[in-house]
Structure formats: structure tokens, C-alpha cells
């Protein structure tokens, strides 16, 4: 199993990083992203939060891609990624009865898959 993980970690991190980078749309196109991607009503009062969140997640994706090639950066980046993505999934579970969660289900599913894979990576790396 460790061999499989070692062979697939680079392409996984690149693909997971690219998927994570998609949140960058919120940083640069907040109205479009909130209304068309999340399918939520855009509230101008929250534009700074939306753009800040989009930039933070975009940078997380970029760093995930970088960690595919710069192994010395991998552990801190992936630990942060697991924490951040787990929190997103937990928020979606916690608020699952609210209608606005529908706009985040795709991201939560992607994040859950990434978290499981990264936990497997850490678990197998320790053995």
C-alpha cells in the first residue's frame, strides 16, 4: 500500500490542489461565484469575507501543488490542509439542515475525499 501512495501522491496533490484553487474565483469574481457557483444570494456586506476566503483557499491549493514537488514543505502544508478541509466538512455537516449548505456540498465532498486520502498518506507514512 505504501508503494501505491508513494507513486500517486504527486498527481493526487496536483489534482487536489487544482480543485482547491477553484475557490480563487471567489477572490476575484465574488458576485459571479456566490450567485453562479454556490447559487446563493450575494450580500454586498460580506464581499470582503468572501474575497478573503477565496484567496486563502486559492493559496492553500497553490501550496498543495507546490508540496507535490517540494517534499520538505509537504508535512506542514498537508497538516494545515487536513485541518482546514476537515473544518469545512464539519461545518457542512453541522449546518446540513440549512438551505445554504447546498451551495457548498460539492466543495465539502471534495474536501472530505482529500482529507481521507491525506490521513491515509500520513498513516501509511508513519508505518
Amino acid at each position: 500500500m505504501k508503494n501505491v501512495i508513494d507513486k500517486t501522491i504527486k498527481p493526487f496533490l496536483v489534482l487536489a490542489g487544482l480543485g482547491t484553487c477553484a475557490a480563487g474565483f471567489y477572490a476575484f469574481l465574488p458576485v459571479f461565484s456566490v450567485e453562479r457557483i454556490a447559487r446563493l444570494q450575494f450580500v454586498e456586506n460580506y464581499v470582503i469575507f468572501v474575497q478573503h476566503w477565496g484567496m486563502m483557499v486559492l493559496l492553500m491549493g497553490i501550496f498543495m501543488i507546490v508540496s507535490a514537488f517540494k517534499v520538505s514543505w509537504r508535512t506542514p502544508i498537508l497538516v494545515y490542509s487536513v485541518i482546514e478541509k476537515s473544518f469545512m466538512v464539519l461545518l457542512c455537516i453541522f449546518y446540513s439542515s440549512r438551505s445554504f449548505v447546498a451551495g457548498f456540498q460539492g466543495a465539502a465532498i471534495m474536501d472530505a475525499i482529500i482529507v481521507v486520502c491525506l490521513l491515509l498518506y500520513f498513516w501509511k507514512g508513519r508505518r
Side-chain angles (χ1 to χ4, degrees):
M1 180 68 121
K2 186 168 173 38
N3 244 359
V4 172
I5 292 172
D6 290 341
K7 289 179 182 178
T8 59
I9 191 64
K10 281 185 182 180
F12 170 78
L13 289 173
V14 170
L15 289 174
L18 288 172
T20 301
C21 283
F25 285 110
Y26 288 86
F28 300 104
L29 301 167
V31 177
F32 171 83
S33 300
V34 169
E35 292 181 348
R36 300 290 190 279
I37 297 173
R39 296 190 173 146
L40 297 169
Q41 179 183 359
F42 180 77
V43 178
E44 189 174 357
N45 293 344
Y46 302 135
V47 71
I48 291 172
F49 172 75
V50 169
Q51 289 185 293
H52 181 254
W53 176 81
M55 179 56 72
M56 285 189 346
V57 180
L58 169 65
L59 290 172
M60 180 79 262
I62 290 169
F63 284 126
M64 288 176 75
I65 294 167
V66 169
S67 76
F69 304 100
K70 189 141 178 91
V71 178
S72 64
W73 289 21
R74 195 172 287 169
T75 298
I77 289 170
L78 298 185
V79 166
Y80 178 80
S81 181
V82 166
I83 294 167
E84 181 272 325
K85 290 177 176 302
S86 295
F87 189 66
M88 175 67 171
V89 172
L90 290 172
L91 286 173
C92 286
I93 292 169
F94 183 77
Y95 290 109
S96 62
S97 64
R98 308 293 271 290
S99 62
F100 63 80
V101 171
F104 300 99
Q105 284 178 335
I109 291 168
M110 180 188 76
D111 282 355
I113 292 167
I114 291 171
V115 165
V116 168
C117 291
L118 291 179
L119 290 175
L120 184 61
Y121 167 77
F122 284 124
W123 182 62
K124 287 299 181 181
R126 300 284 183 221
R127 299 181 99 205

